[in-house]
Amino acid sequence: MGRPTIADIARQAGVSKGAVSFALNGRPGVSEATRARILRVAEEMNWRPHSAARALGGARSDAVGLVIARPARTIGVEPFFSQLLSGLQAVLSASSVALHLMVVEDTAAEVEVYRRWASEHRVDGFIVVDLQVKDPRLPVLDELGLPAVVLGGPGKGGDQLRIWADDREAMLSIVDYLAAIGHRRIAHLAGLPHFQHTQRRIRALRDAARRLGLEEAVSVPTDFSDAEGAAATRTLLSRARRPTAIVYDSDVMAVAGLGVAGEMGVAVPGELSIVSFDDSVLARIVHPPLTALSRDTFALGEQVARSLLEALDGTGPGRDLQMPTPRLTVRESTSPPSPVGGVAARAVDTGSEPV
């Protein structure tokens, strides 16, 4: 049997659909005996109000939306997103609030989902990730008028609450550490270039390189996938004067890069130091375990969910929240460069320019 309807309850209770509506909504118009009979039948049939109908009547839908515009294949293997989603669900589920998740291919599709879910009253608010430079999603969210929490910032534009960690300070901590142990040629396999956090990390590396007088500091954009991470690593390690250290914007890319170094006979950390911007079980179980920026991504998801629920209830502080800066955890994938490290057996000019 499908989902029971008001008509099913009316037929079972031997009353009109109008009487059922009055009884279920606590309105006058039926006797107390009839109301009790209708409620008993509804309970026996396990009837629950349709969320869309409740929303159209002014009730909450008890759901929030998260739309991610990235290739599905990259989302499926990223520990960061699995931990973030776990933290979100822990808080939302405890409040009986559902999380509607959709993965789309681009920002235009993401905006269309926002508009559709809002018009259909599917969700009470949104969680937004991957904040972009001049982000086109923010004015749309302002227009829709639903509460939203943006994971990323700081910055201007949009009325949404933002929760963020300092990507610039995190990148500076990596570069300062690598320079302190002797690295002068550092490469950075970055994420998508239109993301704000990617741009902050690139600028941080460039500024640190100037301050520290590094010989070379190059950033290479990628799509965060293991395939692009491996391909870019192979190109960098084929150069005549290859980098002695590579910083990866995700743990998945860092593990892929470690594999490429092994295939090419480049010793880690003897000839190449590797640092991951994300820490996870992946970074800890490979050999050698990876130096990485550590933070509690599960707790980050919990905070995002709490902030959105507070915004929905009107009880939140209504201001941006800066989370602790990820801390550098040094493991066995980094060491001072060897005296002959960084010189490739054969030269391949990639044409890359320092940032």
Side-chain angles (χ1 to χ4, degrees):
M1 180 179 176
R3 180 192 184 99
T5 66
I6 286 179
D8 297 325
I9 297 171
R11 186 165 48 251
Q12 184 71 17
V15 298
S16 68
K17 290 191 291 184
V20 173
S21 179
F22 289 151
L24 295 177
N25 289 287
R27 295 163 56 192
V30 293
S31 69
E32 288 307 311
T34 300
R35 186 188 309 277
R37 184 167 78 254
I38 291 170
L39 293 177
R40 185 178 65 253
V41 170
E43 182 66 25
E44 291 171 352
M45 299 180 73
N46 198 29
W47 178 86
R48 295 291 183 274
H50 192 283
S51 60
R54 291 174 64 244
L56 287 170
R60 290 260 294 264
S61 64
D62 291 329
V64 297
L66 170 60
V67 188
I68 304 175
R70 289 201 198 183
R73 63 187 174 87
T74 64
I75 295 296
V77 297
E78 280 202 23
F80 173 85
F81 275 104
S82 64
Q83 286 296 303
L84 181 70
L85 289 172
S86 296
L88 291 172
Q89 288 283 25
V91 171
L92 295 174
S93 297
S95 299
S96 298
V97 174
L99 176 65
H100 290 335
L101 171 66
M102 182 171 288
V103 179
V104 296
E105 289 301 316
D106 54 38
T107 301
E110 182 177 348
V111 168
E112 285 305 307
V113 174
Y114 289 155
R115 293 188 182 279
R116 185 172 72 253
W117 282 358
S119 67
E120 295 174 353
H121 302 276
R122 294 279 193 91
V123 298
D124 300 315
F126 291 101
I127 296 164
V128 183
V129 297
D130 293 333
L131 190 60
Q132 301 176 25
V133 177
K134 297 180 179 179
D135 201 313
R137 301 170 297 174
L138 303 187
V140 173
L141 291 167
D142 287 343
E143 172 194 333
L144 295 176
L146 291 179
V149 173
V150 176
L151 182 55
K156 298 179 180 179
D159 296 328
Q160 300 77 28
L161 174 69
R162 297 192 185 189
I163 296 178
W164 59 285
D166 196 330
D167 288 284
R168 176 179 175 82
E169 286 301 315
M171 176 60 88
L172 291 177
S173 71
I174 294 174
V175 182
D176 286 346
Y177 161 70
L178 291 173
I181 62 174
H183 291 277
R184 314 303 296 169
R185 296 192 304 279
I186 299 173
H188 168 215
L189 291 197
L192 294 165
H194 60 281
F195 287 171
Q196 283 193 14
H197 62 73
T198 299
Q199 290 299 319
R200 280 195 294 272
R201 296 172 191 182
I202 290 174
R203 287 194 295 270
L205 173 60
R206 179 188 61 205
D207 294 345
R210 291 170 179 167
R211 171 171 54 85
L212 297 168
L214 300 185
E215 180 182 333
E216 182 180 54
V218 60
S219 290
V220 181
T222 73
D223 66 355
F224 293 105
S225 71
D226 56 330
E228 287 203 9
T233 300
R234 188 169 287 107
T235 298
L236 288 169
L237 296 184
S238 298
R239 295 175 58 179
R241 289 185 64 79
R242 63 193 179 214
T244 60
I246 301 179
V247 180
Y248 294 84
D249 264 10
S250 80
D251 44 2
V252 172
M253 289 201 299
V255 171
L258 178 64
V260 169
E263 293 172 7
M264 297 180 69
V266 178
V268 176
E271 298 175 84
L272 175 70
S273 286
I274 289 179
V275 180
S276 170
F277 218 94
D278 286 329
D279 199 1
S280 71
V281 65
L282 284 181
R284 297 190 291 272
I285 65 174
V286 294
H287 182 74
L290 302 181
T291 294
L293 286 173
S294 301
R295 65 175 168 186
D296 191 339
T297 307
F298 182 89
L300 176 63
E302 289 182 307
Q303 182 59 62
V304 170
R306 278 195 299 268
S307 295
L308 183 53
L309 292 180
E310 290 169 354
L312 293 175
D313 294 335
T315 60
R319 63 178 182 270
D320 293 355
L321 177 63
Q322 182 176 357
M323 302 293 286
T325 301
R327 67 187 186 281
L328 187 64
T329 300
V330 177
R331 300 193 181 102
E332 296 172 23
S333 67
T334 51
S335 70
S338 65
V340 295
V343 181
R346 57 187 181 85
V348 177
D349 184 4
T350 67
S352 299
E353 295 294 332
V355 173

